[in-house]
Amino acid sequence: MTAFMTWLENQLAENSIFTLQTLSYYGDGLTTTVQLVFLSLVIGLIAAVPLAIGRGSKHGWIKWPIFVYTYVFRGTPLLIQLYLIYYGVVFVDGIQETWLWVILEKPFVPALIAFTLNTAAYTTEIFRGAIKSTSKGEIEAARAYGMSPRQTMRRIIIPSAFRRALPAYGNEVIFMLHASAIASVVTIMDLTGAARFVYARYYAPFEAFLFVAAIYLCLTFTILYFFRYLEKKLLAHLQPQTS
């Protein structure tokens, strides 16, 4: 490892911008971006499944609050939501005297809350559409086997809806990766924040932002490949059979 670092330092010796120090900023920014996007997607996905089921409920007191939530968070810019949560939490009476302030005063947590609420709203609608498009034949077959509505939802509808929702959810994951670039406006040192720091220090906007754009491209193609692989595996039964 020491030999590799020495070799890399020698290779970057004549480069005034991409030094080991600036590359470490990009590395830290990459770690922060991946953590923020991954955690928000995981929490949002866990929350979206019961919300999608409730969104299709026949009871108005269940489906209408969920509809309002998804409508508001899908109808307003993520940047505005981030500002409201990051700056608005300070104006909650008495919160600075509670244990919550120790967590919320760090910019990562309000950003995580904003990203999670936003992606959960979009994912809820994605899964609601997938659940709604479940064929009646599958449901009738489950009833014929004697499954209860709860068992039908757990064993038939949700797995089937998950497979149909994969392409749209893959787009949502990529959208969240790209949207994470706004996290730097609340002092989070993510990839874009690292690029801004390098630009401000070396006055090299093209090098700083083109390099971070290349990192985003690599992450995007990795996500695309992963979801293509999942679609190929989970939707293999829908592919045309070759003779």
Side-chain angles (χ1 to χ4, degrees), residues 42-176:
V42 170
I43 300 172
L45 179 62
I46 294 173
V49 174
L51 287 174
I53 297 173
R55 180 76 170 81
S57 173
K58 297 179 180 179
H59 303 288
W61 61 274
I62 295 178
K63 69 177 182 180
W64 285 114
I66 299 174
F67 168 77
V68 172
Y69 157 66
T70 58
Y71 182 82
V72 169
F73 277 89
R74 291 190 305 133
T76 55
L78 177 57
L79 180 60
I80 302 300
Q81 299 166 17
L82 178 58
Y83 277 148
L84 286 174
I85 294 175
Y86 179 71
Y87 293 110
V89 70
V90 181
F91 296 97
V92 177
D93 292 336
I95 194 170
Q96 298 186 32
E97 285 74 35
T98 66
W99 60 272
L100 287 173
W101 182 246
V102 179
I103 302 174
L104 294 174
E105 68 174 346
K106 301 175 183 177
F108 184 87
V109 176
L112 178 62
I113 294 173
F115 279 51
T116 300
L117 291 174
N118 185 273
T119 189
Y122 279 95
T123 307
T124 296
E125 290 300 319
I126 291 173
F127 277 97
R128 183 190 74 87
I131 291 174
K132 191 175 180 180
S133 63
T134 303
S135 66
K136 293 183 179 180
E138 294 183 66
I139 299 175
E140 290 174 357
R143 290 174 179 172
Y145 272 99
M147 293 186 186
S148 65
R150 185 183 298 272
Q151 290 175 325
T152 302
M153 179 65 70
R154 179 168 53 89
R155 297 180 181 179
I156 305 298
I157 298 178
I158 291 180
S160 178
F162 178 78
R163 290 193 295 267
R164 287 190 300 274
L166 266 181
Y169 185 69
N171 292 334
E172 168 62 15
V173 173
I174 294 174
F175 168 78
M176 286 305 301

